[in-house]
Each structure stands twice: as structure tokens, then as C-alpha cells.
Amino acid sequence: MKVGVTGGNGFIGRYVCEELADRGHVPLVFDHRGRADRDLPWEVMRGDIRDATAMTELAAHCDAIIHLAAVLGTQETITNPRPAAETNLVGGLNFLEAVAQYDLPGVYICVGNHWMDNSYSISKTAVERFVRMFNAHRGTRVNNVRVVNAYGPRQQAAPPFASGKVRKITPAVICRALSEMPVELYGGGTQVSDMVWVGDVARALVSSLETAAAGTVLDDVVEVGPTTSSTIREVAELIIDLCVDRGYERVPIVDLPMRPGETPDTAVTARTDTLRSVGIEPSSLVSLEDGMARTVDWFVKSHGTHWKSPEPVTGT
């Protein structure tokens, strides 16, 4: 199949395109950004998911669509919720209308923190429900895939390490530990935040698309997460240990107040048994220890190119 991937220039999107190509499909990236077009080995269609005509044009040029594009951020979207609401809600509806018009199979990526009261979680989860409505009453063939915190090489760090606009757990902790700076954890890191290897996310998304293309629309959301849960603090401690093993100084953990829009001490574990509905055994997922070691090694090698340690502040 020729598969349109909205947000194909993003962190997860790149892995999805690689997984598609590995399985013999042809990725077609649909993205409004020009970033890194030159090093993409597949076709790129410039467009914005908020543009219904552009989304319909995408559907006219492919055999299926995986919809990843969204405005991200939990606390980042609270002070100005409109961009997240417009992009995620309107973009999601445009995706559904486009696959409905051309009778294409599709996959929609849902958020693991669907219970949180922030613009990102609210808008993304609303579209998850629209998917069920379209499947039930419009005859679409779209499977929902709910992903917890994806991590892995190439994930963008936020300032002061790189130009990312959303602070993600893994690059934030790794860059601080490798820069021998204290690791800062909101709410003390007591929150359970299931982590999943980005390659496993891509595998689940593509398998769910192939399932839809074969005619199976799943009643349940496919949940992609680990078989065992960890708190953010446990993840941070693992990363610090891995950095120490590689010769870096052990850094302390500093507790910060919980950010707006996030919930402390929430434990919602992914129902990994749903992966079997798309032919994936939960036991085949990359372990946190193995995946995080590979991720730390990548950040070590990419220092100075993908990210940089901040310049030390000197006194006068």
C-alpha cells in the first residue's frame, strides 16, 4: 500500500515510515513543515491537516492513512488551548472525512494520558470518540491505537539543550544527566508514566493499519505500553545509573511542583493484551532497561549535533 502519514516528519512519524518501508509499503509523508525534507528517502506532500481540501487530496493519492499530526503538550497548551483544539479536533475530523470519502483504511493515534484535563488530552480523546462514531455510522475502517510515553533515539530535547517546544521526559533527563546537571522532576516523579520503545509504537501502528486493511475494525483501542509500570522517578534513576555506567558523574534529583494540567500519583496501566488483536505479543516489546540503554548511547553519540550542553555560567 501507499500509506499517507500525517506528521511523518515527527519523532514517531519517522519510525512509522521506516516500519512501513521495511514491510514493503510506500510511505507518503504529509506535513506542513519543511524540516529535514532533504534527507527523507520517501515522497513528501506539503499540507496542513486543518485544511480539508489538502487532506482530501492526500486521500486521493494513497491507499491508507495513519494520522499522527497534532499540537502536542500537556501544560504547554493550557494557557492557549485554541491551537490544540483547532488542529487536533478539526484535523482529526478532516482525516476521518477523507478516509470516509475514498473508503480507505486508517489508524488514529490516541494519547495514553486520556484522563488528564489539558487541551492536548481533551482534544485528542474527543477524536478517539469520533473514530468510533464514524466506524459505527459512516462505515469507516479506522483503528484506534493508544500510545503511552514513546522514547528512543532522535527524540527532540527542549531548551536549553535543543529547540524542541515540548518538554519530554526521556531527553530532558538524559541531557541533564549527560551534562552533569541536576535532574528536575515535576511532582517528585511519583507519577506512573509507562514508557514504550518508539520502534514498538511504529510496529503497533502499522500492524493496526494492516488489520484495518484486511477488513477488521477493532471494537477496543489497541493499547501500546509495557507489561510492567514504572514511576517517572524510577525511570530517571535508571537513566542516571546508565550514565554513571558510561563514565559520567552521578547527578542528584531535584523535586519541582507538579505542572498544571497533570495529575499526581495516577496509575493507569496499558492493557497490553489488546496488542494480540493486531498480531503482537506483549512479551516481544523492548524492555525499558534495553531500550533506555540504547537511547542513552544514541544521545552520547549525538552530543554536539542533535543536542548540546548549555555553556557554563561564569561569574564576573
Side-chain angles (χ1 to χ4, degrees):
M1 294 182 291
K2 187 172 188 178
V3 182
V5 183
T6 70
N9 255 340
F11 170 55
I12 294 176
R14 292 281 187 107
Y15 283 90
V16 167
C17 290
E18 290 165 358
E19 181 73 17
L20 286 166
D22 286 346
R23 298 196 193 192
H25 302 298
V26 179
L28 170 58
V29 172
F30 183 86
D31 208 299
H32 73 282
R33 297 171 296 179
R35 176 171 61 85
D37 280 359
R38 288 170 295 181
D39 63 352
L40 290 178
W42 31 75
E43 183 182 354
V44 177
M45 178 183 290
R46 185 78 68 250
D48 194 311
I49 63 172
R50 294 171 297 181
D51 183 341
T53 301
M55 285 294 289
T56 303
E57 186 74 4
L58 171 66
H61 286 84
C62 59
D63 305 306
I65 297 176
I66 297 177
H67 183 47
L68 306 176
V71 169
L72 309 181
T74 52
Q75 64 92 25
E76 292 90 349
T77 60
I78 289 177
T79 55
N80 184 15
R82 191 173 299 276
E86 290 180 348
T87 302
N88 300 348
L89 287 168
V90 174
L93 287 172
N94 287 340
F95 154 67
L96 288 167
E97 292 285 6
V99 296
Q101 178 170 331
Y102 285 95
D103 190 25
L104 304 183
V107 165
Y108 174 70
I109 189 169
C110 314
V111 293
N113 57 355
H114 54 92
W115 68 90
M116 288 186 178
D117 291 331
N118 59 68
S119 313
Y120 174 56
S121 300
I122 293 168
S123 57
K124 288 288 293 179
T125 304
V127 177
E128 178 184 326
R129 295 182 62 183
F130 274 122
V131 168
R132 296 201 298 268
M133 184 191 83
F134 268 72
N135 286 343
H137 304 295
R138 297 281 298 277
T140 50
R141 296 174 289 149
V142 178
N143 284 328
N144 278 319
V145 178
R146 183 178 293 146
V147 176
V148 295
N149 282 305
Y151 73 93
R154 305 199 300 250
Q155 191 167 25
Q156 189 74 19
F161 306 102
S163 59
K165 300 301 182 184
V166 177
R167 185 182 186 274
K168 295 293 186 179
I169 298 168
T170 303
V173 175
I174 292 177
C175 291
R176 283 188 165 271
L178 293 179
S179 301
E180 298 182 348
M181 299 167 61
V183 168
E184 299 175 336
L185 299 183
Y186 296 107
T190 59
Q191 317 92 307
V192 172
S193 185
D194 285 347
M195 310 290 289
V196 61
W197 176 250
V198 66
D200 288 331
V201 174
R203 188 157 58 109
L205 288 163
V206 175
S207 294
S208 297
L209 180 69
E210 292 176 339
T211 299
T216 300
V217 178
L218 303 170
D219 293 329
D220 292 331
V221 177
V222 177
E223 298 192 38
V224 190
T227 54
T228 57
S229 298
S230 303
T231 65
I232 291 177
R233 195 175 195 93
E234 289 170 337
V235 173
E237 289 169 345
L238 170 63
I239 291 172
I240 292 169
D241 287 343
L242 290 167
C243 292
V244 170
D245 291 343
R246 285 152 179 77
Y248 292 83
E249 292 292 328
R250 182 173 297 277
V251 298
I253 293 176
V254 177
D255 295 345
L256 298 179
M258 184 66 68
R259 297 191 295 180
E262 297 184 349
T263 308
D265 304 317
T266 300
V268 178
T269 304
R271 287 182 51 221
T272 54
D273 61 295
T274 58
L275 285 166
R276 294 192 179 96
S277 64
V278 294
I280 297 176
E281 276 299 318
S283 60
S284 71
L285 301 185
V286 174
S287 70
L288 179 63
E289 292 75 13
D290 182 25
M292 201 59 75
R294 290 152 67 176
T295 304
V296 168
D297 286 339
W298 185 87
F299 272 87
V300 170
K301 293 177 182 177
S302 65
H303 182 256
T305 54
H306 185 80
W307 70 282
K308 296 180 180 179
S309 297
E311 294 293 331
V313 178
T314 58
T316 56

